[in-house]
Amino acid sequence: MPAEQFVSALNEQIGRELGASHQYVAVAVYYDGLTLPRLAGFFYGQALEERDHAMMMVKYLLDADETPVIPAVGEPTAGFADIVEPVAIALEQERRVTDQISSLAAVARDAGDYVSEQFTQWFLKEQVEEIATMSDLLRVVERGRDNPLLVEEYLAREHPAAEADDPTAPPAAGGAI
Ligand SMILES: [Fe+2]
Ligand SMILES: [Fe+2]
């Protein structure tokens, strides 16, 4: 049985992952509207990944006979000043999530719930990657502020398709997407 404090903290995180997914949809739609298909595609993909994170947390609670709570999701930020702002917001969001997952790990550890602590480890590793990817992208969009095609070319070169399946990822409710 996961610790009660961990269950409620994980339920809150499910809402935040869904919020992150929602924010990335808004970013993808913004780039799509500017006919920047690679940037749009990258963020549509990120939105699915965040949803998947939420579903992994849902599955963890279901498997432990706990009740996952699917909350309302707040309105995402939209209407961006330029092509740089959405990536800056995304990087900030990923940093925030890293802190949130770290606190989640701390809640589990403090409660002596080492199984749940172990569950958080994959997400921490994932955050390291996401922050690195988003920092790189921020640098590239800053460079391509006046020439977004540079960013499109970078994404075509460096992120040609959806990420390969990670066999170490926790299972997601509803199956892998
Ligand atoms: Fe996430
Ligand atoms: Fe993320």
Side-chain angles (χ1 to χ4, degrees), residues 17 20 24 46 50 53 93-94 97 126-127 130:
E17 297 291 335
Y24 286 158
Q46 291 297 310
E50 298 303 348
H53 295 165
Q93 178 171 283
E94 292 301 340
V97 170
E126 175 77 0
Q127 284 311 117
E130 293 202 347

Short mmCIF file of all heavy atoms in Angstrom, two decimals, residues 17 20 24 46 50 53 93-94 97 126-127 130, ligand 2:
data_model
loop_
_atom_site.label_atom_id
_atom_site.label_comp_id
_atom_site.label_asym_id
_atom_site.label_seq_id
_atom_site.Cartn_x
_atom_site.Cartn_y
_atom_site.Cartn_z
N GLU A 17 0.49 17.16 -14.59
CA GLU A 17 0.94 16.56 -15.87
C GLU A 17 -0.10 16.83 -16.95
O GLU A 17 0.25 17.14 -18.09
CB GLU A 17 1.18 15.05 -15.71
CG GLU A 17 2.28 14.67 -14.72
CD GLU A 17 3.68 15.03 -15.19
OE1 GLU A 17 3.92 15.13 -16.40
OE2 GLU A 17 4.56 15.21 -14.31
N ALA A 20 0.27 20.35 -17.98
CA ALA A 20 1.43 20.51 -18.86
C ALA A 20 1.06 20.06 -20.27
O ALA A 20 1.41 20.72 -21.27
CB ALA A 20 2.61 19.69 -18.34
N TYR A 24 1.07 22.38 -23.68
CA TYR A 24 1.82 22.05 -24.90
C TYR A 24 0.91 21.98 -26.12
O TYR A 24 1.34 22.31 -27.22
CB TYR A 24 2.60 20.73 -24.70
CG TYR A 24 3.81 20.92 -23.81
CD1 TYR A 24 4.39 19.86 -23.13
CD2 TYR A 24 4.38 22.19 -23.65
CE1 TYR A 24 5.50 20.04 -22.30
CE2 TYR A 24 5.48 22.38 -22.82
CZ TYR A 24 6.04 21.30 -22.16
OH TYR A 24 7.13 21.49 -21.35
N GLN A 46 5.08 16.45 -27.43
CA GLN A 46 5.31 16.67 -25.99
C GLN A 46 4.00 16.57 -25.22
O GLN A 46 3.96 16.05 -24.10
CB GLN A 46 5.94 18.06 -25.75
CG GLN A 46 7.38 18.20 -26.26
CD GLN A 46 8.32 17.26 -25.53
OE1 GLN A 46 8.34 17.19 -24.30
NE2 GLN A 46 9.11 16.52 -26.28
N GLU A 50 3.26 14.17 -22.00
CA GLU A 50 2.79 14.61 -20.66
C GLU A 50 1.53 13.86 -20.27
O GLU A 50 1.35 13.47 -19.12
CB GLU A 50 2.54 16.12 -20.64
CG GLU A 50 3.76 16.98 -20.92
CD GLU A 50 4.92 16.74 -19.98
OE1 GLU A 50 4.76 16.06 -18.96
OE2 GLU A 50 6.02 17.23 -20.29
N HIS A 53 2.55 10.60 -19.06
CA HIS A 53 3.06 10.64 -17.67
C HIS A 53 1.89 10.56 -16.69
O HIS A 53 1.94 9.82 -15.71
CB HIS A 53 3.84 11.93 -17.42
CG HIS A 53 5.10 12.03 -18.22
ND1 HIS A 53 5.80 13.21 -18.37
CD2 HIS A 53 5.78 11.09 -18.94
CE1 HIS A 53 6.86 12.98 -19.14
NE2 HIS A 53 6.86 11.72 -19.50
N GLN A 93 8.30 25.50 -17.11
CA GLN A 93 7.36 24.46 -16.67
C GLN A 93 8.11 23.16 -16.33
O GLN A 93 7.85 22.53 -15.32
CB GLN A 93 6.34 24.22 -17.78
CG GLN A 93 5.34 23.14 -17.51
CD GLN A 93 4.23 23.10 -18.56
OE1 GLN A 93 3.32 23.91 -18.56
NE2 GLN A 93 4.33 22.17 -19.48
N GLU A 94 9.08 22.79 -17.17
CA GLU A 94 9.83 21.55 -16.93
C GLU A 94 10.66 21.67 -15.65
O GLU A 94 10.80 20.69 -14.91
CB GLU A 94 10.73 21.21 -18.12
CG GLU A 94 9.98 20.80 -19.38
CD GLU A 94 9.06 19.58 -19.20
OE1 GLU A 94 9.24 18.80 -18.25
OE2 GLU A 94 8.14 19.43 -20.03
N VAL A 97 8.30 21.18 -12.80
CA VAL A 97 7.91 19.76 -12.66
C VAL A 97 9.03 18.97 -11.99
O VAL A 97 8.77 18.09 -11.16
CB VAL A 97 7.52 19.16 -14.03
CG1 VAL A 97 7.36 17.64 -13.93
CG2 VAL A 97 6.23 19.78 -14.54
N GLU A 126 13.58 11.25 -16.53
CA GLU A 126 12.88 11.85 -17.67
C GLU A 126 13.00 13.38 -17.63
O GLU A 126 13.19 14.04 -18.66
CB GLU A 126 11.40 11.41 -17.61
CG GLU A 126 10.48 12.04 -18.64
CD GLU A 126 10.62 11.45 -20.04
OE1 GLU A 126 11.45 10.53 -20.22
OE2 GLU A 126 9.91 11.92 -20.94
N GLN A 127 12.91 13.96 -16.42
CA GLN A 127 13.01 15.42 -16.29
C GLN A 127 14.37 15.92 -16.72
O GLN A 127 14.48 17.00 -17.31
CB GLN A 127 12.68 15.84 -14.86
CG GLN A 127 11.21 15.81 -14.52
CD GLN A 127 10.34 16.51 -15.55
OE1 GLN A 127 9.51 15.90 -16.19
NE2 GLN A 127 10.55 17.81 -15.75
N GLU A 130 14.20 16.12 -20.41
CA GLU A 130 13.30 17.15 -20.92
C GLU A 130 13.86 18.54 -20.73
O GLU A 130 13.70 19.41 -21.58
CB GLU A 130 11.91 17.01 -20.28
CG GLU A 130 11.26 15.71 -20.74
CD GLU A 130 9.74 15.69 -20.61
OE1 GLU A 130 9.17 16.57 -19.95
OE2 GLU A 130 9.14 14.77 -21.18
FE FE B 2 7.73 17.29 -19.33
#
